[in-house]
Amino acid sequence: TEFDHQESSVYDRTLSLNEKVESLLSRMTIDEKIGQMNQYNGFWNVTGPLPKKGNAKEKYNDLANGLVGSMLNVRGAKEVRAVQNIAVNNTRLGIPLIIGFDLIHGYQTISPIPLAEASSWDLEAIRKSAALGAKEAASAGINWTFAPMVDISRDARWGRVMEGAGEDPFLGSQISVARVLGFQGVDLSDTLTVAACAKHFAAYGFAESGRDYNTVDISDYTLHNMVLPPFKAAVKAGVKTFMNSFNELNGIPATGHTYLQRQVLKGDWGFDGFIVSDWGSVKEMVVHGYAKDLKQAAELSLNAGSDMDMESYAYVHELKSLLAEEKIKVEHIDDAVRRILKVKFELGLFDDPFRYCNEDREKRVMGSQEIVHGALDMAKKSI
């Protein structure tokens, strides 16, 4: 392995999972903790020249200084290895990145869209389809997918109906479980599986007039009996992450919704994974008129229970000053980081951060006959 950090007993394999997490957490500075809560999109060809100026240069410096916990849209074993190398060998604690990607219906080999797969009513075929997609994506260095989308929707004007299982919460719940089990397999540290992400929490599919990112105004009856069941089923199936949604729910943006995230998901349901924002949804609370600026958006989002900020730059820029002003609690930061580290340990990234970066395996798995035939079989069953 290229990974050689011996600074902490966190790498003592005799410790339990929770002991490893707590050991590492106790050694982290507040900047390093906040860094784990910061997710950046891929911003340059990692195996090419370094960014010279502007936003890309700033992001690179954050990555090299341990201020990034995750990246998305970095693809290919060679590229992932290069970016992971910066994270683990340039930083004080060498905490590996978790690499995310939207695995909606297959990776390189395309399967039917999720709505088409749902029309098969074949749960085992759907599970297998997710597993094959995970296998191909994991061979390309990815270890976390922003799927399944388990939103129930009853408005055909909402274009993202294609990502879900339709309008029925019972069928949606069954398919939610099948896809989570398919992506994650029986062993999350298996290099041909990925961590799943139930999205979008919650009520994204009930936006007024099918207008994406928009307002949702529904009763508690509809929320609990139509919207939430597939998410609850995903928790019971062991899903490792959740993504909150762009929309507001009854006047409160989901990213800043304490009831949804802290009371229902982390409280009533006992979810012990972490919640990532949707792309820029923290800063979009300003657009909703719920936060006055990025700083208040960061405050409201963390206090509500959102653990990782995807591409808003709110947490990495604002949480430290908010903590000094006592507008947020260090306990909430620790809780978020604890959840993120736990998933990284479960993926086996601390044993070997480069375990998903095998170019020979990538060539062998990508577009293999097993995956092509699986996609064809799923297509036939969907038809």
Side-chain angles (χ1 to χ4, degrees):
T1 178
E2 299 167 41
F3 188 51
D4 187 27
H5 281 272
Q6 300 299 330
E7 184 170 329
S8 166
S9 63
V10 70
Y11 307 114
D12 181 353
R13 299 191 185 195
T14 65
L15 298 178
S16 69
L17 173 60
N18 289 337
E19 287 172 335
K20 290 176 181 177
V21 171
E22 294 303 324
S23 177
L24 180 53
L25 189 65
S26 69
R27 288 161 172 78
M28 296 173 72
T29 66
I30 190 63
D31 289 321
E32 288 165 337
K33 289 176 181 179
I34 292 170
Q36 287 301 299
M37 303 165 69
N38 178 36
Q39 184 184 59
Y40 283 156
N41 183 41
F43 50 92
W44 94 106
N45 181 343
V46 194
T47 55
L50 296 179
K52 297 296 184 184
K53 58 184 178 179
N55 182 253
K57 179 64 174 177
E58 179 183 343
K59 284 184 171 183
Y60 175 82
N61 289 338
D62 285 350
L63 177 62
N65 290 317
L67 299 180
V68 183
S70 174
M71 292 185 69
L72 71 155
N73 296 334
V74 180
R75 294 184 288 161
K78 187 176 181 180
E79 286 285 298
V80 172
R81 176 179 286 276
V83 75
Q84 192 72 282
N85 184 61
I86 297 169
V88 301
N89 286 319
N90 285 34
T91 61
R92 185 178 75 92
L93 291 174
I95 300 174
L97 301 169
I98 180 172
I99 303 294
F101 186 73
D102 270 307
L103 187 60
I104 304 304
H105 54 110
Y107 177 67
Q108 178 172 288
T109 306
I110 300 303
S111 301
I113 63 172
L115 188 64
E117 289 193 357
S119 71
S120 73
W121 293 73
D122 190 327
L123 297 175
E124 176 56 24
I126 292 169
R127 183 203 64 77
K128 184 178 179 182
S129 177
L132 291 176
K135 186 173 185 176
E136 197 170 61
S139 76
I142 294 156
N143 42 52
W144 177 26
T145 181
F146 306 122
M149 190 194 94
V150 299
D151 294 301
I152 299 299
S153 183
R154 295 173 173 181
D155 191 334
R157 293 173 294 184
W158 189 58
R160 294 189 75 170
V161 295
M162 58 77 61
E163 286 185 63
E167 58 189 303
D168 181 71
F170 177 76
L171 179 62
S173 296
Q174 299 297 305
I175 292 176
S176 171
V177 170
R179 288 190 169 132
V180 168
L181 296 179
F183 288 133
Q184 295 188 169
V186 297
D187 179 5
L188 201 62
S189 67
D190 186 326
T191 53
L192 294 176
T193 65
V194 298
C197 182
K199 69 182 190 183
H200 305 83
F201 196 63
Y204 193 40
F206 278 75
E208 288 182 351
S209 306
R211 290 177 292 186
D212 208 21
Y213 293 42
N214 202 31
T215 299
V216 173
D217 190 352
I218 56 176
S219 67
D220 282 348
Y221 178 88
T222 300
L223 175 66
H224 286 276
N225 291 287
M226 306 300 171
V227 171
L228 294 185
F231 291 101
K232 189 174 184 179
V235 173
K236 289 183 176 180
V239 71
K240 295 301 176 181
T241 70
F242 261 59
M243 180 184 290
N244 54 42
S245 51
F246 288 117
N247 58 279
E248 63 174 43
L249 174 61
N250 300 333
I252 302 174
T255 306
H257 211 297
T258 304
Y259 173 73
L260 282 178
Q261 296 177 112
R262 290 211 183 274
Q263 184 170 328
V264 174
L265 180 57
K266 294 179 175 179
D268 296 346
W269 296 352
F271 174 64
D272 63 356
F274 70 87
I275 305 171
V276 63
S277 77
D278 208 335
W279 184 293
S281 68
V282 175
K283 68 182 177 184
E284 286 182 6
M285 288 198 289
V286 179
V287 182
H288 279 295
Y290 192 70
K292 64 181 179 180
D293 54 25
L294 188 66
K295 186 172 184 176
Q296 188 181 30
E299 173 190 346
L300 293 168
S301 180
L302 178 66
N303 287 339
S306 187
D307 301 310
M308 182 181 285
D309 172 18
M310 179 196 291
E311 277 291 311
S312 280
Y313 321 136
Y315 282 4
V316 71
H317 290 153
E318 306 292 352
L319 287 190
K320 194 171 182 180
S321 62
L322 286 167
L323 187 62
E325 296 166 16
E326 299 184 348
K327 291 183 177 178
I328 60 173
K329 299 176 180 178
V330 72
E331 289 82 6
H332 283 166
I333 291 176
D334 285 350
D335 178 63
V337 178
R338 187 177 286 117
R339 291 167 179 271
I340 294 165
L341 294 177
K342 180 173 178 285
V343 174
K344 291 185 178 186
F345 273 109
E346 290 175 322
L347 283 165
L349 291 170
F350 283 97
D351 291 330
D352 179 7
F354 305 100
R355 61 190 293 111
Y356 295 89
C357 306
N358 185 310
E359 293 181 59
D360 290 335
R361 182 170 62 227
E362 181 179 23
K363 292 175 184 176
R364 185 173 66 254
V365 171
M366 198 68 61
S368 67
Q369 287 300 301
E370 176 195 20
I371 293 173
V372 170
H373 290 161
L376 177 60
D377 182 63
M378 186 72 253
K380 291 176 178 177
K381 289 171 178 171
S382 300
I383 292 166

